Amino acid sequence: MKKLLFILLSIAFLTPAFAQSNNHMTFKGIPIDGSLSDFTAKMKQKGFTHLGTQDGVALFSGEFAAYKDCTIGAVSSKSTNTVNKVAVMFSDCDTWSQLYGNYSRLKEMLIQKYGEPTENIEKFDTYSEPRDDNMRMLEVKMDRCVYVATWETEKGDIELAIEHADFSSCFVRLSYWDKINTEKVTNSAIDDL
């Protein structure tokens, strides 16, 4: 009887902690929660290579969603010391067909998992539609391409976008924001005001 009571009490005490971790968005099965060093250790266990940590951002390289050579960044707020965002930067693309192809394939997989996006903008901020592959890539590099799909879930937000880092680097970015920890960061920022 004592053993049964001990097991029931153990389950009762573990359930709130387990339920709380289930409320967090996950990345590769890892809850987007905890300290940056804990998250880094879990990413290494999943086979990602840790490239370094600086100013609350840990960078990793590895394969994600069947795409090789991805760079992943995990972001931790200094005020909360908790990871709240993870972003994946897929490999640079030289052509619009490559770039748009990556975006479209990832968007289709996200739709299969999360349903239709909450918000979806796919346009060029130009007077006329670019005529060819080279013109589309130029518009991306000139920051006049807006291809963004967003999913709002119970556990957080997901955003897929076509991005550029400089005039030669164009890629697809996929970001995950944990709802609980992003609210903590926002509340901490509000306290500063």
Side-chain angles (χ1 to χ4, degrees), residues 72-100:
I72 297 99
V75 180
S76 172
S77 167
K78 212 179 235 186
S79 61
T80 63
N81 190 30
T82 305
V83 175
N84 70 301
K85 177 184 177 184
V86 177
V88 181
M89 285 70 66
F90 295 87
S91 296
D92 287 348
C93 296
D94 297 325
T95 65
W96 173 256
S97 57
Q98 272 184 316
L99 188 62
Y100 181 71

PDB file of all heavy atoms in Angstrom, residues 72-100:
ATOM      1  N   ILE A  72      21.428  27.086 -37.595  1.00  0.00           N
ATOM      2  CA  ILE A  72      20.335  27.257 -36.633  1.00  0.00           C
ATOM      3  C   ILE A  72      20.807  28.192 -35.536  1.00  0.00           C
ATOM      4  O   ILE A  72      21.920  28.052 -35.023  1.00  0.00           O
ATOM      5  CB  ILE A  72      19.911  25.894 -36.022  1.00  0.00           C
ATOM      6  CG1 ILE A  72      19.374  24.957 -37.111  1.00  0.00           C
ATOM      7  CG2 ILE A  72      18.855  26.081 -34.945  1.00  0.00           C
ATOM      8  CD1 ILE A  72      20.338  23.963 -37.595  1.00  0.00           C
ATOM      9  N   GLY A  73      19.968  29.148 -35.173  1.00  0.00           N
ATOM     10  CA  GLY A  73      20.277  30.053 -34.081  1.00  0.00           C
ATOM     11  C   GLY A  73      19.234  29.930 -32.995  1.00  0.00           C
ATOM     12  O   GLY A  73      18.033  29.968 -33.263  1.00  0.00           O
ATOM     13  N   ALA A  74      19.686  29.741 -31.750  1.00  0.00           N
ATOM     14  CA  ALA A  74      18.795  29.724 -30.591  1.00  0.00           C
ATOM     15  C   ALA A  74      19.036  31.020 -29.828  1.00  0.00           C
ATOM     16  O   ALA A  74      20.175  31.369 -29.538  1.00  0.00           O
ATOM     17  CB  ALA A  74      19.081  28.523 -29.708  1.00  0.00           C
ATOM     18  N   VAL A  75      17.953  31.735 -29.521  1.00  0.00           N
ATOM     19  CA  VAL A  75      18.056  33.058 -28.906  1.00  0.00           C
ATOM     20  C   VAL A  75      17.546  33.006 -27.476  1.00  0.00           C
ATOM     21  O   VAL A  75      16.461  32.485 -27.207  1.00  0.00           O
ATOM     22  CB  VAL A  75      17.250  34.095 -29.712  1.00  0.00           C
ATOM     23  CG1 VAL A  75      17.357  35.473 -29.086  1.00  0.00           C
ATOM     24  CG2 VAL A  75      17.714  34.119 -31.161  1.00  0.00           C
ATOM     25  N   SER A  76      18.329  33.571 -26.577  1.00  0.00           N
ATOM     26  CA  SER A  76      17.967  33.650 -25.168  1.00  0.00           C
ATOM     27  C   SER A  76      17.978  35.114 -24.744  1.00  0.00           C
ATOM     28  O   SER A  76      18.884  35.863 -25.096  1.00  0.00           O
ATOM     29  CB  SER A  76      18.985  32.868 -24.330  1.00  0.00           C
ATOM     30  OG  SER A  76      18.764  33.069 -22.960  1.00  0.00           O
ATOM     31  N   SER A  77      16.973  35.497 -23.996  1.00  0.00           N
ATOM     32  CA  SER A  77      16.908  36.859 -23.483  1.00  0.00           C
ATOM     33  C   SER A  77      17.799  36.983 -22.260  1.00  0.00           C
ATOM     34  O   SER A  77      17.805  36.113 -21.390  1.00  0.00           O
ATOM     35  CB  SER A  77      15.469  37.199 -23.104  1.00  0.00           C
ATOM     36  OG  SER A  77      15.432  38.377 -22.350  1.00  0.00           O
ATOM     37  N   LYS A  78      18.551  38.071 -22.195  1.00  0.00           N
ATOM     38  CA  LYS A  78      19.404  38.323 -21.039  1.00  0.00           C
ATOM     39  C   LYS A  78      18.567  38.498 -19.777  1.00  0.00           C
ATOM     40  O   LYS A  78      18.933  38.046 -18.696  1.00  0.00           O
ATOM     41  CB  LYS A  78      20.233  39.586 -21.288  1.00  0.00           C
ATOM     42  CG  LYS A  78      21.590  39.571 -20.655  1.00  0.00           C
ATOM     43  CD  LYS A  78      22.331  40.846 -20.983  1.00  0.00           C
ATOM     44  CE  LYS A  78      23.654  40.513 -21.619  1.00  0.00           C
ATOM     45  NZ  LYS A  78      24.480  41.695 -21.828  1.00  0.00           N
ATOM     46  N   SER A  79      17.405  39.142 -19.924  1.00  0.00           N
ATOM     47  CA  SER A  79      16.576  39.448 -18.758  1.00  0.00           C
ATOM     48  C   SER A  79      15.930  38.203 -18.151  1.00  0.00           C
ATOM     49  O   SER A  79      15.727  38.135 -16.949  1.00  0.00           O
ATOM     50  CB  SER A  79      15.496  40.463 -19.126  1.00  0.00           C
ATOM     51  OG  SER A  79      14.649  39.940 -20.115  1.00  0.00           O
ATOM     52  N   THR A  80      15.606  37.207 -18.976  1.00  0.00           N
ATOM     53  CA  THR A  80      14.949  36.010 -18.452  1.00  0.00           C
ATOM     54  C   THR A  80      15.872  34.799 -18.420  1.00  0.00           C
ATOM     55  O   THR A  80      15.538  33.796 -17.798  1.00  0.00           O
ATOM     56  CB  THR A  80      13.714  35.647 -19.297  1.00  0.00           C
ATOM     57  OG1 THR A  80      14.139  35.322 -20.631  1.00  0.00           O
ATOM     58  CG2 THR A  80      12.698  36.778 -19.319  1.00  0.00           C
ATOM     59  N   ASN A  81      16.998  34.870 -19.104  1.00  0.00           N
ATOM     60  CA  ASN A  81      17.945  33.751 -19.227  1.00  0.00           C
ATOM     61  C   ASN A  81      17.233  32.476 -19.686  1.00  0.00           C
ATOM     62  O   ASN A  81      17.488  31.382 -19.209  1.00  0.00           O
ATOM     63  CB  ASN A  81      18.693  33.509 -17.909  1.00  0.00           C
ATOM     64  CG  ASN A  81      19.850  32.532 -18.100  1.00  0.00           C
ATOM     65  OD1 ASN A  81      20.442  32.467 -19.166  1.00  0.00           O
ATOM     66  ND2 ASN A  81      20.155  31.766 -17.075  1.00  0.00           N
ATOM     67  N   THR A  82      16.304  32.647 -20.622  1.00  0.00           N
ATOM     68  CA  THR A  82      15.513  31.531 -21.136  1.00  0.00           C
ATOM     69  C   THR A  82      15.441  31.618 -22.655  1.00  0.00           C
ATOM     70  O   THR A  82      15.202  32.688 -23.202  1.00  0.00           O
ATOM     71  CB  THR A  82      14.081  31.586 -20.554  1.00  0.00           C
ATOM     72  OG1 THR A  82      14.165  31.625 -19.135  1.00  0.00           O
ATOM     73  CG2 THR A  82      13.276  30.387 -20.970  1.00  0.00           C
ATOM     74  N   VAL A  83      15.622  30.477 -23.307  1.00  0.00           N
ATOM     75  CA  VAL A  83      15.499  30.432 -24.763  1.00  0.00           C
ATOM     76  C   VAL A  83      14.039  30.681 -25.127  1.00  0.00           C
ATOM     77  O   VAL A  83      13.137  30.104 -24.530  1.00  0.00           O
ATOM     78  CB  VAL A  83      15.961  29.069 -25.312  1.00  0.00           C
ATOM     79  CG1 VAL A  83      15.723  28.970 -26.813  1.00  0.00           C
ATOM     80  CG2 VAL A  83      17.428  28.835 -24.994  1.00  0.00           C
ATOM     81  N   ASN A  84      13.808  31.588 -26.086  1.00  0.00           N
ATOM     82  CA  ASN A  84      12.435  31.854 -26.513  1.00  0.00           C
ATOM     83  C   ASN A  84      12.251  31.774 -28.028  1.00  0.00           C
ATOM     84  O   ASN A  84      11.134  31.750 -28.502  1.00  0.00           O
ATOM     85  CB  ASN A  84      11.946  33.212 -26.004  1.00  0.00           C
ATOM     86  CG  ASN A  84      12.620  34.370 -26.687  1.00  0.00           C
ATOM     87  OD1 ASN A  84      13.843  34.500 -26.639  1.00  0.00           O
ATOM     88  ND2 ASN A  84      11.841  35.218 -27.328  1.00  0.00           N
ATOM     89  N   LYS A  85      13.352  31.704 -28.786  1.00  0.00           N
ATOM     90  CA  LYS A  85      13.234  31.675 -30.242  1.00  0.00           C
ATOM     91  C   LYS A  85      14.318  30.781 -30.833  1.00  0.00           C
ATOM     92  O   LYS A  85      15.449  30.761 -30.350  1.00  0.00           O
ATOM     93  CB  LYS A  85      13.390  33.090 -30.812  1.00  0.00           C
ATOM     94  CG  LYS A  85      13.357  33.150 -32.327  1.00  0.00           C
ATOM     95  CD  LYS A  85      13.609  34.557 -32.835  1.00  0.00           C
ATOM     96  CE  LYS A  85      13.650  34.607 -34.341  1.00  0.00           C
ATOM     97  NZ  LYS A  85      13.980  35.939 -34.852  1.00  0.00           N
ATOM     98  N   VAL A  86      13.951  30.052 -31.891  1.00  0.00           N
ATOM     99  CA  VAL A  86      14.907  29.277 -32.675  1.00  0.00           C
ATOM    100  C   VAL A  86      14.630  29.579 -34.141  1.00  0.00           C
ATOM    101  O   VAL A  86      13.483  29.569 -34.574  1.00  0.00           O
ATOM    102  CB  VAL A  86      14.775  27.760 -32.408  1.00  0.00           C
ATOM    103  CG1 VAL A  86      15.729  26.976 -33.299  1.00  0.00           C
ATOM    104  CG2 VAL A  86      15.020  27.440 -30.938  1.00  0.00           C
ATOM    105  N   ALA A  87      15.693  29.882 -34.875  1.00  0.00           N
ATOM    106  CA  ALA A  87      15.551  30.182 -36.306  1.00  0.00           C
ATOM    107  C   ALA A  87      16.493  29.303 -37.121  1.00  0.00           C
ATOM    108  O   ALA A  87      17.626  29.049 -36.711  1.00  0.00           O
ATOM    109  CB  ALA A  87      15.843  31.652 -36.574  1.00  0.00           C
ATOM    110  N   VAL A  88      15.999  28.853 -38.270  1.00  0.00           N
ATOM    111  CA  VAL A  88      16.789  28.043 -39.192  1.00  0.00           C
ATOM    112  C   VAL A  88      17.011  28.859 -40.454  1.00  0.00           C
ATOM    113  O   VAL A  88      16.060  29.380 -41.046  1.00  0.00           O
ATOM    114  CB  VAL A  88      16.060  26.737 -39.577  1.00  0.00           C
ATOM    115  CG1 VAL A  88      16.908  25.901 -40.527  1.00  0.00           C
ATOM    116  CG2 VAL A  88      15.682  25.950 -38.344  1.00  0.00           C
ATOM    117  N   MET A  89      18.273  29.007 -40.842  1.00  0.00           N
ATOM    118  CA  MET A  89      18.612  29.630 -42.108  1.00  0.00           C
ATOM    119  C   MET A  89      19.072  28.520 -43.052  1.00  0.00           C
ATOM    120  O   MET A  89      20.075  27.857 -42.788  1.00  0.00           O
ATOM    121  CB  MET A  89      19.722  30.679 -41.944  1.00  0.00           C
ATOM    122  CG  MET A  89      19.250  31.985 -41.312  1.00  0.00           C
ATOM    123  SD  MET A  89      18.816  31.911 -39.560  1.00  0.00           S
ATOM    124  CE  MET A  89      20.324  31.556 -38.760  1.00  0.00           C
ATOM    125  N   PHE A  90      18.307  28.306 -44.110  1.00  0.00           N
ATOM    126  CA  PHE A  90      18.646  27.272 -45.073  1.00  0.00           C
ATOM    127  C   PHE A  90      19.750  27.789 -45.990  1.00  0.00           C
ATOM    128  O   PHE A  90      20.041  28.987 -46.018  1.00  0.00           O
ATOM    129  CB  PHE A  90      17.389  26.860 -45.846  1.00  0.00           C
ATOM    130  CG  PHE A  90      16.369  26.199 -44.958  1.00  0.00           C
ATOM    131  CD1 PHE A  90      15.434  26.955 -44.257  1.00  0.00           C
ATOM    132  CD2 PHE A  90      16.364  24.820 -44.800  1.00  0.00           C
ATOM    133  CE1 PHE A  90      14.513  26.348 -43.419  1.00  0.00           C
ATOM    134  CE2 PHE A  90      15.446  24.211 -43.957  1.00  0.00           C
ATOM    135  CZ  PHE A  90      14.523  24.977 -43.263  1.00  0.00           C
ATOM    136  N   SER A  91      20.361  26.896 -46.743  1.00  0.00           N
ATOM    137  CA  SER A  91      21.503  27.257 -47.597  1.00  0.00           C
ATOM    138  C   SER A  91      21.171  28.387 -48.554  1.00  0.00           C
ATOM    139  O   SER A  91      20.032  28.522 -49.011  1.00  0.00           O
ATOM    140  CB  SER A  91      21.956  26.046 -48.418  1.00  0.00           C
ATOM    141  OG  SER A  91      22.422  25.036 -47.577  1.00  0.00           O
ATOM    142  N   ASP A  92      22.201  29.184 -48.877  1.00  0.00           N
ATOM    143  CA  ASP A  92      22.062  30.250 -49.864  1.00  0.00           C
ATOM    144  C   ASP A  92      21.643  29.673 -51.209  1.00  0.00           C
ATOM    145  O   ASP A  92      22.050  28.567 -51.573  1.00  0.00           O
ATOM    146  CB  ASP A  92      23.390  30.987 -50.062  1.00  0.00           C
ATOM    147  CG  ASP A  92      23.739  31.883 -48.890  1.00  0.00           C
ATOM    148  OD1 ASP A  92      22.879  32.118 -48.028  1.00  0.00           O
ATOM    149  OD2 ASP A  92      24.895  32.343 -48.845  1.00  0.00           O
ATOM    150  N   CYS A  93      20.844  30.441 -51.931  1.00  0.00           N
ATOM    151  CA  CYS A  93      20.391  30.042 -53.264  1.00  0.00           C
ATOM    152  C   CYS A  93      20.874  31.067 -54.281  1.00  0.00           C
ATOM    153  O   CYS A  93      20.863  32.271 -54.026  1.00  0.00           O
ATOM    154  CB  CYS A  93      18.872  29.958 -53.301  1.00  0.00           C
ATOM    155  SG  CYS A  93      18.197  28.683 -52.226  1.00  0.00           S
ATOM    156  N   ASP A  94      21.269  30.577 -55.450  1.00  0.00           N
ATOM    157  CA  ASP A  94      21.759  31.449 -56.517  1.00  0.00           C
ATOM    158  C   ASP A  94      20.676  31.874 -57.482  1.00  0.00           C
ATOM    159  O   ASP A  94      20.835  32.850 -58.211  1.00  0.00           O
ATOM    160  CB  ASP A  94      22.879  30.746 -57.300  1.00  0.00           C
ATOM    161  CG  ASP A  94      24.080  30.449 -56.429  1.00  0.00           C
ATOM    162  OD1 ASP A  94      24.384  31.264 -55.527  1.00  0.00           O
ATOM    163  OD2 ASP A  94      24.710  29.397 -56.632  1.00  0.00           O
ATOM    164  N   THR A  95      19.566  31.117 -57.521  1.00  0.00           N
ATOM    165  CA  THR A  95      18.515  31.423 -58.483  1.00  0.00           C
ATOM    166  C   THR A  95      17.162  31.516 -57.773  1.00  0.00           C
ATOM    167  O   THR A  95      16.970  30.928 -56.699  1.00  0.00           O
ATOM    168  CB  THR A  95      18.409  30.332 -59.576  1.00  0.00           C
ATOM    169  OG1 THR A  95      17.998  29.108 -58.965  1.00  0.00           O
ATOM    170  CG2 THR A  95      19.737  30.147 -60.307  1.00  0.00           C
ATOM    171  N   TRP A  96      16.244  32.243 -58.391  1.00  0.00           N
ATOM    172  CA  TRP A  96      14.897  32.360 -57.844  1.00  0.00           C
ATOM    173  C   TRP A  96      14.209  31.002 -57.814  1.00  0.00           C
ATOM    174  O   TRP A  96      13.515  30.676 -56.853  1.00  0.00           O
ATOM    175  CB  TRP A  96      14.073  33.363 -58.657  1.00  0.00           C
ATOM    176  CG  TRP A  96      12.639  33.376 -58.221  1.00  0.00           C
ATOM    177  CD1 TRP A  96      11.573  32.814 -58.871  1.00  0.00           C
ATOM    178  CD2 TRP A  96      12.116  33.935 -57.011  1.00  0.00           C
ATOM    179  NE1 TRP A  96      10.422  32.999 -58.139  1.00  0.00           N
ATOM    180  CE2 TRP A  96      10.727  33.694 -56.990  1.00  0.00           C
ATOM    181  CE3 TRP A  96      12.686  34.626 -55.948  1.00  0.00           C
ATOM    182  CZ2 TRP A  96       9.903  34.112 -55.960  1.00  0.00           C
ATOM    183  CZ3 TRP A  96      11.866  35.043 -54.916  1.00  0.00           C
ATOM    184  CH2 TRP A  96      10.479  34.783 -54.923  1.00  0.00           C
ATOM    185  N   SER A  97      14.414  30.191 -58.840  1.00  0.00           N
ATOM    186  CA  SER A  97      13.746  28.893 -58.865  1.00  0.00           C
ATOM    187  C   SER A  97      14.195  28.034 -57.684  1.00  0.00           C
ATOM    188  O   SER A  97      13.373  27.334 -57.082  1.00  0.00           O
ATOM    189  CB  SER A  97      13.960  28.178 -60.199  1.00  0.00           C
ATOM    190  OG  SER A  97      15.323  28.018 -60.456  1.00  0.00           O
ATOM    191  N   GLN A  98      15.468  28.080 -57.312  1.00  0.00           N
ATOM    192  CA  GLN A  98      15.953  27.365 -56.119  1.00  0.00           C
ATOM    193  C   GLN A  98      15.331  27.947 -54.857  1.00  0.00           C
ATOM    194  O   GLN A  98      14.826  27.214 -54.010  1.00  0.00           O
ATOM    195  CB  GLN A  98      17.472  27.536 -55.980  1.00  0.00           C
ATOM    196  CG  GLN A  98      18.342  26.567 -56.680  1.00  0.00           C
ATOM    197  CD  GLN A  98      19.796  26.860 -56.315  1.00  0.00           C
ATOM    198  OE1 GLN A  98      20.237  28.006 -56.283  1.00  0.00           O
ATOM    199  NE2 GLN A  98      20.542  25.809 -56.051  1.00  0.00           N
ATOM    200  N   LEU A  99      15.390  29.258 -54.733  1.00  0.00           N
ATOM    201  CA  LEU A  99      14.913  29.953 -53.538  1.00  0.00           C
ATOM    202  C   LEU A  99      13.414  29.730 -53.344  1.00  0.00           C
ATOM    203  O   LEU A  99      12.962  29.325 -52.273  1.00  0.00           O
ATOM    204  CB  LEU A  99      15.230  31.451 -53.663  1.00  0.00           C
ATOM    205  CG  LEU A  99      14.983  32.335 -52.461  1.00  0.00           C
ATOM    206  CD1 LEU A  99      15.835  31.914 -51.276  1.00  0.00           C
ATOM    207  CD2 LEU A  99      15.297  33.797 -52.828  1.00  0.00           C
ATOM    208  N   TYR A 100      12.652  29.977 -54.385  1.00  0.00           N
ATOM    209  CA  TYR A 100      11.204  29.797 -54.312  1.00  0.00           C
ATOM    210  C   TYR A 100      10.845  28.321 -54.131  1.00  0.00           C
ATOM    211  O   TYR A 100       9.888  27.983 -53.441  1.00  0.00           O
ATOM    212  CB  TYR A 100      10.522  30.379 -55.558  1.00  0.00           C
ATOM    213  CG  TYR A 100       9.029  30.236 -55.509  1.00  0.00           C
ATOM    214  CD1 TYR A 100       8.270  30.990 -54.629  1.00  0.00           C
ATOM    215  CD2 TYR A 100       8.372  29.311 -56.329  1.00  0.00           C
ATOM    216  CE1 TYR A 100       6.891  30.844 -54.559  1.00  0.00           C
ATOM    217  CE2 TYR A 100       7.002  29.159 -56.272  1.00  0.00           C
ATOM    218  CZ  TYR A 100       6.267  29.927 -55.381  1.00  0.00           C
ATOM    219  OH  TYR A 100       4.908  29.773 -55.310  1.00  0.00           O
TER     220      TYR A 100
END
